[in-house]
């Protein structure tokens, strides 16, 4: 089959690789009908997430048709169309029992889990196409993919539903929803969201559905700010204003009730702290550029909440821990418990209560994926979301 493979920093290629096979009784093989490039894929493209190996198949946002199932799978049938969560979860461990699917204890194979245990204190759950820290599983930017624990993760899509309406249930819609849920939004709250990429836009949509009174979106790309505005947000261009001062002025000196960091470990900008972080990242003295996280902590009102859906992968410094403590802030973060949210969010899509397609800027065949990665990385204003079609 054809698949997009990683070969080092800014080097991805579409190669011919072996077809996936059923390995365990609960496996399924999916023929990919649509897959997408995620902002967190760019962390792999930039080679800032450790644990990648030459030839790894990328991609964790995908859906498709079931073409084969293991003998232990009683949940799926050949011919069904499914959306697959990017998180791989067994469904029966301690954490899965608490619907903390992204903390699954069993989906990261024993021979892979030591690395994440050293890095994070406990083994990470398995993720598709996202380094050997998270299991080394082949991703879905390919013609076919093996789905472990396929009786737990995939959600069956009703007949007649276009792929693009449900594709983002695999990651960015649940991630934006959980970001807003972690912000503990109360009716009338003012919510500030850093980053108007796909996750930030879905956090805006979700916060609005949860009853936020005001949503303030922060970015600098004009098209992304336009999308945020079209979804009901007031916007701030951080190239034109001092963000914390602007937020104080907009909230009569109180500050936002909740702040969402939808940027993560590769924050941009020319602030002194971010320049230092970038130098440390390039010289391997640090891993994460945390400017946005610092700014959310400083900008959030006293007694407020900070939600972090943005991906962080390693170690950073200069965190304003004093402000965090003295202001009595609550922080919630984590990889998304996708399986927990799928039924509810699919219903929102089916009922027409949320548009999942307005952020798509490009639709391309899989063979153009290397070009798409470069443009998504280099031209984020024009390339807001890329959908790939492996089978035309």
């Amino acid at each position: 089959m054809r698949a997009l493979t990683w070969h080092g920093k800014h080097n991805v290629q579409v190669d011919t690789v072996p077809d996936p096979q059923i390995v365990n009784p609960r496996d399924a093989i999916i023929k990919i009908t649509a897959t997408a490039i995620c902002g967190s894929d760019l962390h792999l493209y930039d080679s800032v997430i450790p644990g990648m190996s030459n030839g790894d198949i990328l991609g964790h946002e995908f859906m498709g048709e079931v073409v084969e199932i293991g003998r232990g799978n009683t949940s799926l049938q050949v011919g069904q169309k499914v959306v697959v969560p990017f998180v791989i979860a067994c469904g029966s461990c301690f954490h899965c029992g608490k619907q903390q699917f992204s903390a699954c204890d069993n989906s990261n194979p024993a021979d892979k889990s030591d690395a994440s245990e050293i890095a994070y204190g406990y083994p990470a759950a398995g993720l598709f196409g996202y380094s050997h820290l998270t299991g080394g599983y082949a991703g879905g930017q390919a013609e076919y993919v093996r789905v472990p624990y396929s009786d737990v993760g995939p959600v069956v899509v009703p007949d007649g539903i276009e792929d693009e309406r449900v594709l983002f249930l695999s990651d960015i819609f649940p991630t934006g929803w959980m970001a807003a849920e972690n912000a503990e939004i109360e009716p009338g709250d003012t919510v500030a969201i850093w980053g108007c990429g796909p996750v930030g836009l879905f956090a805006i949509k979700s916060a609005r559905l949860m009853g936020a009174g005001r949503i303030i979106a922060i970015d600098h790309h004009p098209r992304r700010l336009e999308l945020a505005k079209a979804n009901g947000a007031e916007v701030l261009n951080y190239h034109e204003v001092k963000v914390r001062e602007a937020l104080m002025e907009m909230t009569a000196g109180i500050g936002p009730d909740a702040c969402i960091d939808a940027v993560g470990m590769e924050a941009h900008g020319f602030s002194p702290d971010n320049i230092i972080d970038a130098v440390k990242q390039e010289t391997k003295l640090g891993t994460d550029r945390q400017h946005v996280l610092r700014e959310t902590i400083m900008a959030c009102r006293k007694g407020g909440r900070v939600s972090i859906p943005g991906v962080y992968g390693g170690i950073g410094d200069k965190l304003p821990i004093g402000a965090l403590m003295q202001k009595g802030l609550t922080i919630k973060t984590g990889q998304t418990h996708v399986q927990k949210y799928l039924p509810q969010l699919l219903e929102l899509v089916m009922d027409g209560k949320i548009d999942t397609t307005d952020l798509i800027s490009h639709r391309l065949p899989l063979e153009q994926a290397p070009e798409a990665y470069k443009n998504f990385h280099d031209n984020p204003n024009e390339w807001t979301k890329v959908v790939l079609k492996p089978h035309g």
Side-chain angles (χ1 to χ4, degrees):
M1 71 171 184
R2 302 289 279 169
L4 185 74
T5 57
W6 184 91
H7 296 276
K9 185 175 182 178
H10 300 162
N11 183 3
V12 296
Q13 304 170 19
V14 179
D15 296 327
T16 299
V17 302
D19 291 348
Q21 305 292 324
I22 295 289
V23 175
N24 295 306
R26 295 168 67 186
D27 288 350
I29 304 298
I30 308 296
K31 178 182 178 181
I32 303 299
T33 58
T35 181
I37 302 175
C38 183
S40 54
D41 286 327
L42 296 183
H43 301 321
L44 304 178
Y45 189 67
D46 285 333
S47 198
V48 296
I49 295 287
M52 292 297 293
S53 296
N54 190 56
D56 283 348
I57 299 173
L58 298 172
H60 60 269
E61 281 188 309
F62 57 88
M63 63 176 296
E65 179 187 344
V66 179
V67 294
E68 187 178 356
I69 57 175
R71 65 182 185 277
N73 189 328
T74 58
S75 298
L76 297 180
Q77 298 176 14
V78 171
Q80 289 177 323
K81 184 165 281 191
V82 295
V83 177
V84 181
F86 78 94
V87 171
I88 303 170
C90 73
S92 57
C93 70
F94 172 85
H95 296 288
C96 287
K98 291 183 173 291
Q99 293 194 305
Q100 298 170 345
F101 295 101
S102 68
C104 177
D105 269 336
N106 293 326
S107 58
N108 196 338
D111 62 336
K112 306 283 188 183
S113 62
D114 285 352
S116 60
E117 184 171 1
I118 292 169
Y120 306 136
Y122 293 88
L127 308 178
F128 287 102
Y130 216 78
S131 94
H132 292 262
L133 278 177
T134 57
Y137 289 98
Q141 288 168 2
E143 292 182 318
Y144 297 88
V145 67
R146 178 178 77 93
V147 178
Y149 299 117
S150 61
D151 53 344
V152 175
V155 61
V156 177
V157 178
D159 292 338
I161 302 299
E162 301 89 345
D163 284 4
E164 289 178 2
R165 287 185 63 194
V166 293
L167 172 60
F168 303 135
L169 290 169
S170 57
D171 179 1
I172 54 174
F173 183 10
T175 297
W177 185 270
M178 182 168 140
E181 181 176 88
N182 280 348
E184 299 179 354
I185 295 169
E186 299 174 358
D189 271 354
T190 295
V191 182
I193 299 174
W194 277 253
C196 297
V199 168
L201 290 169
F202 272 112
I204 291 168
K205 295 170 185 281
S206 301
R208 188 183 69 244
L209 287 173
M210 292 179 185
R214 295 178 75 186
I215 302 168
I216 304 169
I218 300 135
D219 207 302
H220 73 290
H221 296 296
R223 172 169 161 72
R224 296 188 177 210
L225 289 171
E226 287 172 9
L227 285 168
K229 197 170 183 179
N231 279 283
E234 303 168 63
V235 299
L236 293 175
N237 185 327
Y238 67 77
H239 281 175
E240 299 175 354
V241 300
K242 293 182 178 179
V243 172
R244 191 175 73 85
E245 293 179 7
L247 290 172
M248 290 289 283
E249 183 176 341
M250 295 172 77
T251 59
I254 294 174
D257 300 290
C259 294
I260 298 176
D261 171 4
V263 176
M265 67 189 293
E266 291 190 272
H268 293 86
F270 293 100
S271 60
D273 67 318
N274 208 34
I275 293 171
I276 293 170
D277 284 347
V279 170
K280 286 186 173 183
Q281 193 176 66
E282 286 296 318
T283 57
K284 309 301 182 184
L285 295 175
T287 58
D288 296 13
R289 303 200 300 264
Q290 299 177 99
H291 171 71
V292 167
L293 179 55
R294 298 183 191 108
E295 196 164 73
T296 60
I297 292 171
M298 295 302 294
C300 194
R301 71 160 171 84
K302 290 180 284 188
R305 292 90 62 194
V306 174
S307 170
I308 312 170
V311 172
Y312 288 90
I315 297 173
D317 56 18
K318 301 180 295 297
L319 193 71
I321 192 70
L324 173 65
M325 182 270 168
Q326 294 291 345
K327 293 201 293 180
L329 302 183
T330 298
I331 289 185
K332 287 189 175 182
T333 185
Q335 294 283 8
T336 310
H337 308 309
V338 181
Q339 290 86 338
K340 173 183 177 180
Y341 300 108
L342 278 180
Q344 174 187 8
L345 300 188
L346 177 60
E347 187 174 337
L348 288 176
V349 172
M350 298 294 294
D351 291 345
K353 293 182 178 179
I354 194 158
D355 179 13
T356 60
T357 64
D358 60 338
L359 69 168
I360 300 173
S361 58
H362 294 79
R363 299 164 176 86
L364 299 169
L366 179 66
E367 295 294 330
Q368 293 185 33
E371 170 193 339
Y373 262 79
K374 178 173 173 53
N375 279 293
F376 191 45
H377 180 273
D378 295 346
N379 304 303
N381 184 57
E382 294 81 13
W383 292 67
T384 50
K385 190 66 178 178
V386 182
V387 174
L388 302 171
K389 298 284 189 174
H391 294 275

